[in-house]
Coordinates of all heavy atoms in Angstrom, one line a residue:
S579 N 146.3 119.5 141.6 CA 147.6 119.1 142.1 C 148.8 119.7 141.4 O 149.7 120.1 141.9 CB 147.7 117.6 142.1 OG 146.7 117.0 142.9
Q580 N 148.7 119.7 139.9 CA 149.8 120.3 139.2 C 149.2 120.6 137.8 O 148.1 120.4 137.5 CB 150.8 119.2 139.0 CG 150.2 117.9 138.4 CD 151.2 116.6 138.6 OE1 151.2 116.1 139.8 NE2 151.8 116.2 137.7
L581 N 150.1 121.2 137.0 CA 149.7 121.7 135.8 C 150.6 121.3 134.6 O 151.2 122.1 133.9 CB 149.5 123.3 135.8 CG 148.8 124.0 134.5 CD1 147.4 123.3 134.4 CD2 148.7 125.4 134.7
N582 N 150.9 120.0 134.6 CA 151.6 119.4 133.4 C 150.7 119.5 132.2 O 149.5 119.2 132.4 CB 152.1 118.0 133.7 CG 153.1 118.0 134.8 OD1 153.7 119.0 135.1 ND2 153.5 116.8 135.2
E583 N 151.2 119.8 131.0 CA 150.4 119.6 129.9 C 149.8 118.2 129.7 O 150.6 117.2 129.8 CB 151.2 120.1 128.7 CG 151.4 121.6 128.6 CD 150.2 122.5 128.7 OE1 149.1 122.0 128.3 OE2 150.4 123.7 128.9
N584 N 148.5 118.1 129.3 CA 147.9 116.8 129.0 C 147.7 115.9 130.3 O 147.6 114.7 130.2 CB 148.6 116.1 127.9 CG 148.8 117.0 126.7 OD1 147.8 117.6 126.2 ND2 150.0 117.1 126.4
M585 N 147.8 116.6 131.5 CA 147.7 115.8 132.7 C 146.8 116.7 133.6 O 147.0 117.9 133.7 CB 149.1 115.7 133.5 CG 149.8 114.4 133.1 SD 148.9 113.0 133.8 CE 148.7 113.5 135.5
L586 N 145.8 116.0 134.4 CA 145.0 116.7 135.2 C 144.9 115.8 136.5 O 144.7 114.6 136.4 CB 143.6 116.9 134.7 CG 143.4 118.1 133.8 CD1 141.9 118.0 133.2 CD2 143.7 119.4 134.3
A587 N 144.8 116.5 137.7 CA 144.5 115.8 138.9 C 143.9 116.8 139.8 O 144.6 117.9 140.1 CB 145.7 115.1 139.5
Y588 N 142.7 116.5 140.3 CA 142.0 117.6 141.1 C 141.1 116.8 142.1 O 140.6 115.7 141.9 CB 141.3 118.6 140.4 CG 140.3 118.2 139.3 CD1 138.9 118.2 139.5 CD2 140.8 117.8 138.1 CE1 138.1 117.8 138.6 CE2 139.8 117.5 137.0 CZ 138.5 117.5 137.3 OH 137.6 117.1 136.3
T589 N 140.9 117.5 143.2 CA 139.9 117.0 144.3 C 138.8 117.9 144.4 O 138.9 119.2 144.3 CB 140.7 116.8 145.6 OG1 141.3 118.1 146.0 CG2 141.8 115.8 145.5
I590 N 137.7 117.4 144.7 CA 136.4 118.1 144.8 C 135.8 117.7 146.2 O 135.0 116.7 146.3 CB 135.3 117.8 143.7 CG1 136.1 117.8 142.3 CG2 134.2 118.7 143.8 CD1 135.2 117.3 141.1
P591 N 136.0 118.4 147.2 CA 135.5 118.2 148.5 C 133.9 118.4 148.6 O 133.4 119.2 147.9 CB 136.2 119.0 149.5 CG 136.6 120.2 148.6 CD 136.8 119.7 147.2
N592 N 133.3 117.7 149.5 CA 131.9 117.9 149.7 C 131.6 119.0 150.7 O 131.1 118.7 151.8 CB 131.1 116.5 150.0 CG 129.7 116.6 150.0 OD1 129.1 117.6 149.9 ND2 129.0 115.4 150.1
T593 N 131.7 120.2 150.3 CA 131.5 121.3 151.2 C 130.0 121.5 151.4 O 129.6 122.3 152.3 CB 132.1 122.6 150.6 OG1 131.6 122.8 149.3 CG2 133.5 122.4 150.4
L594 N 129.2 120.9 150.6 CA 127.7 121.1 150.8 C 127.1 120.1 151.8 O 126.0 120.3 152.3 CB 127.0 120.8 149.4 CG 127.5 121.6 148.2 CD1 126.6 121.3 146.9 CD2 127.4 123.1 148.5
N595 N 127.9 119.1 152.1 CA 127.5 118.1 153.2 C 126.3 117.4 152.7 O 125.3 117.1 153.5 CB 127.4 118.7 154.5 CG 128.7 119.1 155.1 OD1 129.7 118.5 154.9 ND2 128.8 120.4 155.6
E596 N 126.1 117.1 151.4 CA 124.9 116.4 150.9 C 125.4 115.0 150.5 O 126.3 114.9 149.8 CB 124.3 117.1 149.7 CG 123.6 118.5 150.1 CD 122.9 119.1 148.9 OE1 122.4 118.4 148.0 OE2 122.9 120.3 148.8
G597 N 124.7 114.0 150.8 CA 125.0 112.7 150.4 C 126.2 112.1 151.3 O 126.6 112.8 152.3
D598 N 126.6 110.9 151.0 CA 127.6 110.2 151.9 C 129.0 110.2 151.4 O 129.9 109.5 152.0 CB 127.1 108.8 152.4 CG 126.9 108.0 151.1 OD1 127.1 108.5 149.9 OD2 126.5 106.8 151.2
W599 N 129.2 110.8 150.3 CA 130.6 110.9 149.8 C 131.3 112.2 150.4 O 130.6 113.2 150.3 CB 130.7 111.0 148.2 CG 130.1 109.8 147.5 CD1 129.6 108.7 148.0 CD2 130.1 109.6 146.1 NE1 129.2 107.8 147.1 CE2 129.4 108.4 145.8 CE3 130.5 110.4 145.0 CZ2 129.3 107.8 144.6 CZ3 130.3 109.9 143.8 CH2 129.7 108.6 143.5
T600 N 132.5 112.1 150.9 CA 133.1 113.3 151.5 C 134.0 114.0 150.5 O 134.3 115.2 150.7 CB 133.9 112.9 152.7 OG1 134.9 111.9 152.3 CG2 133.1 112.3 153.8
M601 N 134.5 113.3 149.5 CA 135.4 113.9 148.5 C 135.3 113.0 147.2 O 135.2 111.8 147.3 CB 136.8 114.1 149.1 CG 137.8 114.9 148.1 SD 139.4 115.1 149.0 CE 139.0 116.4 150.2
M602 N 135.7 113.7 146.2 CA 135.9 113.1 144.8 C 137.3 113.6 144.3 O 137.7 114.7 144.5 CB 134.8 113.4 143.9 CG 135.0 112.9 142.5 SD 133.7 113.3 141.3 CE 132.4 112.2 141.9
A603 N 138.0 112.7 143.6 CA 139.2 113.0 143.0 C 139.1 112.6 141.5 O 138.5 111.6 141.1 CB 140.4 112.4 143.6
V604 N 139.6 113.4 140.6 CA 139.7 113.1 139.1 C 141.1 113.1 138.7 O 141.8 114.2 138.9 CB 138.8 114.1 138.3 CG1 138.8 113.7 136.8 CG2 137.3 114.1 138.9
V605 N 141.5 112.1 138.1 CA 143.0 112.1 137.6 C 142.9 111.6 136.1 O 142.3 110.6 135.8 CB 143.8 111.1 138.4 CG1 145.3 111.2 138.0 CG2 143.7 111.3 139.9
V606 N 143.5 112.4 135.2 CA 143.4 112.0 133.9 C 144.8 112.3 133.2 O 145.5 113.3 133.5 CB 142.4 113.0 133.1 CG1 142.3 112.6 131.7 CG2 141.1 113.1 133.8
N607 N 145.2 111.3 132.3 CA 146.5 111.4 131.7 C 146.3 111.1 130.2 O 146.0 110.0 129.8 CB 147.5 110.4 132.3 CG 148.8 110.2 131.6 OD1 149.2 111.2 130.8 ND2 149.5 109.2 131.8
T608 N 146.4 112.0 129.3 CA 146.3 111.9 127.9 C 147.6 111.8 127.1 O 147.6 111.9 126.0 CB 145.4 113.0 127.3 OG1 145.9 114.2 127.5 CG2 144.0 112.8 127.8
T609 N 148.7 111.8 128.0 CA 150.0 111.6 127.4 C 150.2 110.0 127.0 O 149.3 109.3 127.2 CB 151.1 111.9 128.3 OG1 151.2 110.9 129.4 CG2 150.9 113.3 129.0
L610 N 151.3 109.7 126.3 CA 151.5 108.4 125.9 C 152.5 107.7 126.9 O 153.1 106.7 126.5 CB 152.1 108.4 124.5 CG 151.2 109.0 123.4 CD1 151.9 109.0 122.0 CD2 149.9 108.3 123.3
H611 N 152.7 108.2 128.1 CA 153.5 107.6 129.1 C 152.8 107.6 130.5 O 152.1 108.5 130.7 CB 154.9 108.2 129.1 CG 154.9 109.7 129.1 ND1 154.6 110.5 130.2 CD2 155.0 110.6 128.2 CE1 154.6 111.7 130.0 NE2 154.9 111.8 128.7
P612 N 153.2 106.7 131.4 CA 152.6 106.8 132.7 C 153.0 108.0 133.5 O 154.0 108.6 133.1 CB 153.1 105.5 133.3 CG 153.7 104.7 132.3 CD 154.1 105.6 131.2
E613 N 152.2 108.5 134.5 CA 152.5 109.5 135.3 C 152.1 109.2 136.7 O 151.2 108.4 137.0 CB 151.7 110.8 134.8 CG 152.1 111.4 133.5 CD 153.3 112.4 133.6 OE1 153.8 112.5 134.7 OE2 153.6 112.9 132.6
E614 N 152.9 109.8 137.6 CA 152.6 109.7 139.1 C 152.2 111.1 139.6 O 152.8 112.1 139.3 CB 153.8 109.3 139.9 CG 153.4 109.1 141.4 CD 154.6 108.5 142.2 OE1 155.7 108.5 141.7 OE2 154.4 108.3 143.4
V615 N 151.0 111.2 140.2 CA 150.5 112.4 140.7 C 150.2 112.3 142.2 O 150.0 111.2 142.8 CB 149.2 112.8 140.1 CG1 149.4 113.1 138.5 CG2 148.1 111.8 140.3
E616 N 150.4 113.5 142.9 CA 150.0 113.5 144.4 C 148.8 114.3 144.5 O 148.8 115.5 144.1 CB 151.2 114.1 145.1 CG 150.9 114.1 146.6 CD 152.0 114.6 147.5 OE1 153.0 115.0 146.9 OE2 151.9 114.7 148.7
L617 N 147.7 113.8 145.0 CA 146.5 114.5 145.3 C 146.6 115.5 146.3 O 147.4 115.3 147.4 CB 145.3 113.5 145.6 CG 145.0 112.5 144.4 CD1 144.0 111.4 144.9 CD2 144.5 113.3 143.2
K618 N 146.1 116.6 146.2 CA 146.2 117.8 147.1 C 144.8 118.3 147.5 O 143.9 118.2 146.7 CB 147.0 118.9 146.6 CG 148.4 118.5 146.2 CD 149.3 118.4 147.4 CE 150.7 118.2 147.0 NZ 151.6 118.0 148.2
S619 N 144.6 118.8 148.7 CA 143.3 119.5 148.9 C 143.6 120.2 150.3 O 144.5 120.0 151.1 CB 142.3 118.4 149.3 OG 141.1 119.1 149.7
S620 N 142.9 121.4 150.4 CA 142.8 122.2 151.6 C 142.0 121.5 152.7 O 141.9 122.0 153.8 CB 142.4 123.6 151.4 OG 141.1 123.6 150.8
Y621 N 141.3 120.4 152.3 CA 140.4 119.7 153.3 C 141.1 118.4 153.6 O 142.0 117.9 152.7 CB 139.1 119.4 152.6 CG 138.1 120.6 152.5 CD1 138.4 121.6 151.6 CD2 137.1 120.8 153.4 CE1 137.6 122.7 151.5 CE2 136.3 121.9 153.4 CZ 136.6 123.0 152.4 OH 135.8 124.0 152.4
P622 N 140.9 117.8 154.7 CA 141.5 116.4 154.9 C 141.4 115.3 153.9 O 140.2 115.1 153.4 CB 140.9 116.0 156.3 CG 140.3 117.3 156.9 CD 140.0 118.1 155.7
L623 N 142.5 114.8 153.4 CA 142.4 113.7 152.4 C 142.2 112.4 153.0 O 142.6 112.1 154.2 CB 143.7 113.7 151.7 CG 143.9 114.8 150.6 CD1 145.3 114.9 150.2 CD2 143.0 114.7 149.3
P624 N 141.4 111.5 152.4 CA 141.1 110.2 153.0 C 142.3 109.4 152.9 O 143.2 109.6 152.0 CB 139.9 109.7 152.1 CG 140.2 110.4 150.9 CD 140.7 111.7 151.1

Side-chain angles (χ1 to χ4, degrees):
S579 297
Q580 57 198 74
L581 191 58
N582 292 349
E583 291 299 343
N584 310 305
M585 266 294 306
L586 280 178
Y588 53 100
T589 54
I590 310 165
N592 190 351
T593 59
L594 305 181
N595 296 316
E596 293 182 33
D598 56 1
W599 299 1
T600 58
M601 187 175 286
M602 176 180 285
V604 180
V605 186
V606 187
N607 176 16
T608 56
T609 73
L610 299 179
H611 47 80
E613 291 275 3
E614 182 179 12
V615 297
E616 183 179 2
L617 297 172
K618 301 285 186 181
S619 179
S620 57
Y621 288 75
L623 287 164

